[in-house]
Amino acid sequence: MTIKVDHIHGERITVSAGGVDLLSYVYRPDPEPYESRKPYVHPLRTLSGRLVSGYRPNDHRWHKGLQMTASHLSGQNFWGGHSYLGPDQGYQRVPERVGSMRHDGFADLTATDERLTLAEDLTWVANDGAEWAGERRGVTVHAVDEAAGSWALDWSIRLTNLRDEPLRFGSPTTAGREMAGYTGLQWRGPRDLTGGTVFGPGGAEGQEALMGTQGPWLAFSGTHDDVDAASTLVFAHAPENLDPELAVHGSHWFVRSTPIPTVAFSWAFFEEFELPPGDAFAFRYRVLVADGAWDRDRVAGALAELSW
């Protein structure tokens, strides 16, 4: 299925297929600093046009579709919103802790009839203006399959510490809040997917069973309001993400179906890790966006057909 790419320079890149805007990659940050200004993907849609991303929901204004985040980073908050300060203080509004990610330019932007590939350079900037990390981000849209009713979005990150001291990555759980290890690449779904079905390989099902676990993939399926239709999103790790000899640390799932629909590839769920000065780490992820309520076998089969 042929794709079309529109680029509003300085603002966003939109990919469409069959008359449907599948996604917009927005690299012009929103204006509110407290929401941690950074690029994001929204809207995110299935091939039939079903919206499967949420933007600035009233419960968490800083949740914006699909975005790279870091909830706890050496005392700064690149997630956005209130900062978790520990069991005694809980969440507090601390604007001076909220950092941002600056778009510096595209090292590559290549579009064909079947694929969009971009490489973006960004700088992670602390609230005081100090440049803490340099990122090379990759985003690829591919495998648009009309017969299967699905398409794929690949997202990669290589992050380098620009400081002269270690960067410490954590989460609310490493700061003392149980089973709230959110950080890393995060998806926020639309409100009508609240209460959807969450499942992984091997029979695990439900947010309680999968929260904080490790695995090659996790799926989220839900039914939409207004139309008689369901959608499924599959979140998958590249093989090296789960290899303890290659990854900086273990990757765990942060997932909620209620009270909000959200999934994050958490890189510091239970334990903090340090990135020494000048060092870098890298991860690759895949999000498969599909029409219909897929089951475990269909998810596994679709992932097996896509090479890394």
Side-chain angles (χ1 to χ4, degrees):
M1 192 173 187
T2 301
I3 67 169
K4 177 183 177 182
V5 178
D6 292 314
H7 187 184
I8 301 177
H9 290 269
E11 183 176 333
R12 69 182 62 213
I13 298 169
T14 299
V15 181
S16 60
V20 173
D21 289 346
L22 300 180
L23 69 86
S24 284
Y25 183 78
V26 183
Y27 61 93
R28 179 182 180 182
D30 288 348
E32 175 52 60
Y34 193 64
E35 295 173 6
S36 186
R37 304 176 75 223
K38 54 185 176 289
Y40 58 87
V41 171
H42 178 82
L44 192 62
R45 293 189 177 95
T46 69
L47 285 177
S48 68
R50 310 307 176 200
L51 182 67
V52 290
S53 61
Y55 173 75
R56 297 192 75 243
N58 60 31
D59 49 78
H60 297 81
R61 293 298 189 194
W62 46 93
H63 287 185
K64 298 176 182 180
L66 183 69
Q67 58 181 346
M68 182 58 68
T69 73
S71 58
H72 288 232
L73 177 53
S74 295
Q76 288 281 290
N77 171 2
F78 290 84
W79 175 277
H82 290 13
S83 298
Y84 185 74
L85 304 182
D88 295 334
Q89 299 182 70
Y91 285 93
Q92 300 288 334
R93 182 181 179 87
V94 192
E96 61 269 23
R97 282 180 174 255
V98 181
S100 61
M101 299 178 193
R102 185 185 70 220
H103 167 80
D104 293 330
F106 291 112
D108 180 40
L109 186 56
T110 302
T112 69
D113 287 345
E114 298 179 342
R115 176 181 294 254
L116 167 73
T117 302
L118 68 83
E120 181 185 19
D121 291 321
L122 304 100
T123 301
W124 293 35
V125 183
N127 188 267
D128 63 2
E131 298 183 351
W132 277 18
E135 180 189 346
R136 168 61 62 89
R137 176 176 301 178
V139 175
T140 302
V141 178
H142 64 108
V144 180
D145 188 335
E146 186 175 15
S150 64
W151 61 276
L153 169 65
D154 290 357
W155 188 304
S156 66
I157 177 176
R158 180 175 178 83
L159 195 71
T160 303
N161 183 359
L162 301 180
R163 304 182 78 193
D164 58 4
E165 60 184 272
L167 285 173
R168 293 179 293 103
F169 292 82
S171 69
T173 293
T174 68
R177 185 185 175 200
E178 290 187 5
M179 302 307 285
Y182 54 82
T183 193
L185 184 63
Q186 182 231 0
W187 166 77
R188 172 62 192 257
R191 200 167 299 279
D192 56 355
L193 293 189
T194 303
T197 300
V198 179
F199 59 95
E205 186 167 324
Q207 67 178 42
E208 292 82 7
L210 286 162
M211 178 70 87
T213 65
Q214 294 179 292
W217 59 264
L218 179 147
F220 192 113
S221 180
T223 305
H224 294 280
D225 292 336
D226 188 43
V227 293
D228 296 327
S231 297
T232 301
L233 289 95
V234 183
F235 304 89
H237 283 284
E240 70 268 18
N241 291 5
L242 300 175
D243 185 340
E245 294 184 0
L246 297 178
V248 177
H249 46 83
S251 294
H252 297 78
W253 296 115
F254 175 84
V255 56
R256 284 182 177 151
S257 175
T258 58
I260 62 172
T262 187
V263 175
F265 297 84
S266 178
W267 52 35
F269 196 110
F270 295 108
E271 297 180 358
E272 285 191 345
F273 73 94
E274 289 190 350
L275 185 65
D279 279 11
F281 69 80
F283 288 105
R284 293 189 298 152
Y285 308 103
R286 176 165 290 160
V287 181
L288 192 63
V289 180
D291 281 302
W294 286 21
D295 60 20
R296 188 172 282 107
D297 289 342
R298 188 169 184 185
V299 169
L303 290 175
E305 292 178 1
L306 294 176
S307 64
W308 285 95

